[in-house]
Amino acid sequence: SDRERLRQELSHARQHGMADELTGLPKRDTFVRQLEAEIGRVKRYGFALAVAVIDVDNLESVNKRYGRPAGDAVLRCYAGQILSKFRTYDLVARYGGDEFAVLFPNTQKDGAMHALEKARKSASGTFINQDGKNIPLPSFSSVLTQYSPGEPAAALLQRADETLSQARLAGYNRMVVALPTA
């Protein structure tokens, strides 16, 4: 029933321009609205809420070496194969150019880290076929953060974005946890 409900919501999103054309995933605005709704549920019921921002490592080099269609194929592969393996009620969205965001409702840090690690392992053994060439899927770096009671959605996302920017400077294939400060 959850899966059917999500299919209907995704269909509705596509019909109303809320889905990214390349990946078919919800756009950033839709993700933010759902995050705000989940924060409301957390306030009412006290559930945990984790959010991850994922950056495909060095996508620019794929575009330069194999062409833009290969880079697009990488993003579609992440959307359709790698990130689609999260639970049906986790929301995966296209967050930016080479970024995705994942909303993990009712999930503690350890559970979300485990899910991200499974996605990382899946990506490391995946290839895309572009113009007869098998191209290894680039790794990804991610930031995982946990909602803190009373925190606005914008502050949670800003913390994730800033931490991801810092992590990029340190290299590729990283998972960083950015917990709220007390």
Side-chain angles (χ1 to χ4, degrees):
S1 65
D2 280 344
R3 184 169 285 196
E4 184 57 36
R5 181 183 56 79
L6 286 173
R7 265 192 224 131
Q8 289 174 352
E9 286 177 14
L10 184 56
S11 175
H12 178 75
R14 283 188 180 124
Q15 291 171 355
H16 293 88
M18 296 185 293
D20 175 65
E21 288 182 26
L22 178 66
T23 63
L25 294 174
K27 292 180 181 178
R28 183 182 185 134
D29 293 354
T30 304
F31 178 83
V32 171
R33 279 194 299 277
Q34 187 62 37
L35 173 61
E36 289 169 347
E38 286 299 327
I39 287 173
R41 285 173 28 103
V42 168
K43 288 177 182 176
R44 279 192 304 278
Y45 303 113
F47 298 142
L49 176 62
V51 173
V53 178
I54 295 170
D55 179 56
V56 177
D57 292 330
N58 213 10
L59 186 63
E60 309 83 44
S61 73
V62 172
N63 286 333
K64 287 179 186 174
R65 185 169 181 192
Y66 301 105
R68 178 79 182 225
D72 289 350
V74 165
L75 294 172
R76 281 192 300 273
C77 181
Y78 263 100
Q81 285 183 254
I82 306 303
L83 303 178
S84 66
K85 295 179 181 172
F86 293 126
R87 301 172 303 187
T88 56
Y89 54 87
D90 295 333
L91 176 68
V92 179
R94 177 96 183 264
Y95 194 65
D98 59 355
E99 293 178 346
F100 298 93
V102 186
L103 187 61
F104 295 104
N106 199 19
T107 307
Q108 297 288 344
K109 177 186 72 141
D110 291 342
M113 285 178 63
H114 179 70
L116 288 168
E117 191 54 42
K118 282 175 49 177
R120 179 184 313 289
K121 287 179 183 173
S122 179
S124 72
T126 301
F127 290 80
I128 59 167
N129 188 303
Q130 188 68 29
D131 298 327
K133 297 176 187 156
N134 275 339
I135 303 168
L137 198 64
S139 61
F140 68 85
S141 294
S142 61
V143 169
L144 176 66
T145 190
Q146 201 79 38
Y147 172 74
S148 177
E151 180 178 34
L156 184 145
L157 293 173
Q158 181 178 354
R159 180 173 64 248
D161 287 339
E162 288 172 356
T163 305
L164 185 59
S165 293
Q166 293 168 359
R168 282 186 192 126
L169 298 175
Y172 298 127
N173 201 18
R174 302 189 172 282
M175 185 179 350
V176 179
V177 176
L179 295 178
T181 54

